[in-house]
Amino acid sequence: MPPDAPPPGPHGHPHPHWPAGAVVQVAEPDRFTRFVVRLYERAPRWAVPLAALGCVGLGVAYAMISDPTRSAPDALPTCLLKLTTGLDCPGCGGTRALWYVLHADLPAAARHHFLFVFALPFLAYLFVAWGTKQAFGWRLPELRISPKMIGGFLVAWLVFSVARNLPWAPFTSLYV
């Protein structure tokens, strides 16, 4: 392919909507992008999963140290949405739910954020499957989640997020 030819479409053929003589200018990556790409290429295959695990570990450590179940509702750091509108955000109660999960109190965790507790085993398995594939090349059985299931979960999360902010019973029992 000549250097000034348009990039190929999804199946290796010229893009169907571009004129035949279109010239594509490919920008050179900036210095930081080149540094990150070089760092990624030189890093051992286990470095990215280890970094991701470190981030998860920091989140768990924050939940354990801060004990969000005993802090005041307006204690820092606070949710910007709750601070400005008084409404519970879609993730409101997630840190407290994590704290209760880590202390093996699933009913209390579900009380604070049921959908987070429901999604946690799936997210944990997806993370372990990804991490072991990246770090060791092992393939765990694939968890097949269809786009319809993801869409249904997001709709359920939206409905839950709206319902927990409605000011009349039985929805007031969802306040956290």
Side-chain angles (χ1 to χ4, degrees):
M1 181 183 322
D4 62 343
H11 302 291
H13 304 293
H15 199 281
H17 302 292
W18 289 14
V23 176
V24 177
Q25 295 287 339
V26 179
E28 283 293 318
D30 61 89
R31 186 181 222 169
F32 181 72
T33 302
R34 289 192 311 267
F35 170 73
V36 170
V37 168
R38 206 170 40 249
L39 189 66
Y40 176 77
E41 289 170 348
R42 292 179 182 172
R45 62 190 292 172
W46 48 263
V48 173
L50 185 62
L53 186 61
C55 291
V56 170
L58 287 173
V60 167
Y62 170 76
M64 294 296 286
I65 291 169
S66 67
D67 189 1
T69 61
R70 298 195 196 287
S71 62
D74 59 347
L76 292 176
T78 186
C79 173
L80 187 59
L81 181 72
K82 183 120 179 167
L83 182 67
T84 57
T85 66
L87 299 174
D88 289 339
C89 73
C92 196
T95 307
R96 285 168 280 172
L98 176 64
W99 192 87
Y100 282 116
V101 165
L102 295 171
H103 287 85
D105 189 352
L106 291 181
R111 162 71 183 90
H112 285 278
H113 204 299
F114 173 77
L115 290 174
F116 171 77
V117 175
F118 172 78
L120 200 57
F122 298 103
L123 295 173
Y125 182 81
L126 288 170
F127 180 78
V128 168
W130 169 81
T132 56
K133 181 182 173 197
Q134 291 289 346
F136 308 111
W138 301 341
R139 287 192 169 271
L140 295 178
E142 196 172 310
L143 185 61
R144 296 182 189 262
I145 302 174
S146 71
K148 285 184 179 180
M149 286 180 83
I150 293 172
F153 179 78
L154 292 176
V155 166
W157 197 345
L158 176 67
V159 169
F160 173 73
S161 298
V162 171
R164 71 190 320 193
N165 285 296
L166 296 176
W168 55 85
F171 305 110
T172 53
S173 66
L174 297 174
Y175 289 175
V176 289

